[in-house]
Amino acid sequence: MNKHLEQLVLLSKIDQEIDSFEPKIDSITKNLKDAENKINQINIQIGNLELEIEDVKNQKIQNNLHISEFSAKIKELGKKSASVKTEKEANALKIEEDIAKEQLDSANDEIIRLDKILENKELFKKELLEKKAKEEQDIETIRSSIKTQMEALEKERMDVYAKKTKLVADINLKVLSFYEKIRKWAKNTAVVAVKKQACYGCFMKIYDKTYLSVIKGEEIITCPHCGRILYKEQEDKS
């Protein structure tokens, strides 16, 4: 195989290896992102719950004010009943007092209902805070594990970059520029193998004359269909 072609095949494989680090990093950090999302969702739930709790407390305050008003009114009506002169006045006061008592009972029942709601919401908030604490504890373990994995991955990546730097320094600039031009659009398929007389970049059949040139490997040949650099790979005999 032509020296320049051999170098480009090797460079292409190194570039593929370099580009493979990003999905590896994404895979390693996925658990951390998932854990962070869980905590964010819990924080949103807690925030919404605190607003609901505050609303229930305000409703209790309003109902307690009503209880005070109804109690005062009943007391006032009781004083008035002592000075009524006619049965008609007495009946009117009695009706007004009964209504006030019903309103007082309703307000007291509402306080009991709100207290129950408040108790449940406070209990749910406590559960969420405990869940958040557990998630935060787990996330520290995840961060520690990621740090170890990332350090190993970074070392591996630096080793690959060192290989590329050494190889690039030995490649002819025109050949390198030609490769980079193709790589801009072909990405990691700038250099592809020919198998069963087909380009493994576009999967189109290679013409006989071009195929013979690829087999010889004496010069850099590009696919007549897609423009990728071609090289001959051993056929699978199985």
Side-chain angles (χ1 to χ4, degrees), residues 3-231:
K3 177 188 174 183
H4 297 312
L5 178 59
E6 190 174 347
Q7 288 173 326
L8 291 184
V9 171
L10 180 56
L11 179 59
S12 176
K13 289 179 179 178
I14 290 174
D15 279 334
Q16 288 174 24
E17 194 174 353
I18 288 171
D19 287 349
S20 74
F21 283 106
E22 285 305 318
K24 286 179 183 177
I25 291 171
D26 289 342
S27 177
I28 290 172
T29 57
K30 185 180 182 300
N31 286 341
L32 177 61
K33 289 176 182 176
D34 289 346
E36 288 173 339
N37 286 335
K38 280 184 182 179
I39 292 175
N40 288 336
Q41 288 301 314
I42 292 172
N43 283 332
I44 291 170
Q45 284 182 286
I46 291 172
N48 290 336
L49 199 56
E50 286 175 342
L51 291 175
E52 292 171 10
I53 288 171
E54 190 63 28
D55 181 57
V56 173
K57 286 180 178 179
N58 288 332
Q59 289 182 58
K60 279 189 64 180
I61 290 171
Q62 290 300 316
N63 269 275
N64 281 322
L65 288 174
H66 292 153
I67 287 171
S68 297
E69 290 171 4
F70 297 144
S71 297
K73 188 173 184 179
I74 291 168
K75 189 175 181 180
E76 183 184 348
L77 290 171
K79 289 179 181 179
K80 283 184 179 180
S81 64
S83 59
V84 295
K85 296 178 181 179
T86 64
E87 185 178 347
K88 185 178 179 181
E89 289 178 339
N91 288 336
L93 284 173
K94 179 70 168 59
I95 291 170
E96 195 173 352
E97 185 179 10
D98 287 344
I99 291 172
K101 285 180 179 178
E102 285 180 8
Q103 290 174 324
L104 179 62
D105 289 342
S106 178
N108 280 319
D109 289 343
E110 181 64 5
I111 288 291
I112 293 171
R113 188 185 76 84
L114 291 173
D115 278 337
K116 189 65 178 175
I117 292 172
L118 193 60
E119 181 185 350
N120 289 335
K121 289 187 181 296
E122 291 285 7
L123 182 61
F124 185 36
K125 180 182 174 182
K126 181 183 176 183
E127 290 173 355
L128 286 175
L129 288 171
E130 288 173 352
K131 185 178 179 182
K132 178 183 174 182
K134 173 67 167 58
E135 292 292 341
E136 287 175 337
Q137 188 176 9
D138 290 344
I139 211 171
E140 289 306 314
T141 303
I142 293 170
R143 283 196 180 105
S144 177
S145 173
I146 286 175
K147 184 181 177 183
T148 302
Q149 292 179 69
M150 289 296 288
E151 286 173 353
L153 195 62
E154 188 59 25
K155 183 181 182 303
E156 186 182 341
R157 182 158 62 173
M158 288 301 100
D159 289 343
V160 176
Y161 271 117
K163 279 197 301 182
K164 178 175 179 177
T165 301
K166 184 179 179 181
L167 177 61
V168 166
D170 193 41
I171 297 178
N172 178 280
L173 288 178
K174 287 184 179 179
V175 173
L176 182 61
S177 177
F178 180 62
Y179 165 79
E180 292 295 348
K181 185 177 179 180
I182 297 173
R183 182 169 155 76
K184 279 182 180 178
W185 60 266
K187 308 301 179 186
N188 281 325
T189 62
V191 181
V192 294
V194 172
K195 299 179 184 178
K196 298 179 181 178
Q197 204 172 331
C199 165
Y200 261 53
C202 64
F203 301 99
M204 296 287 287
K205 186 176 180 181
I206 303 299
Y207 308 128
D208 291 344
K209 185 178 178 181
T210 303
Y211 184 53
L212 288 173
S213 297
V214 172
I215 292 174
K216 288 180 180 179
E218 294 175 354
E219 54 185 313
I220 295 173
I221 304 295
T222 57
C223 174
H225 305 293
C226 67
R228 290 176 172 87
I229 298 168
L230 304 174
Y231 71 97

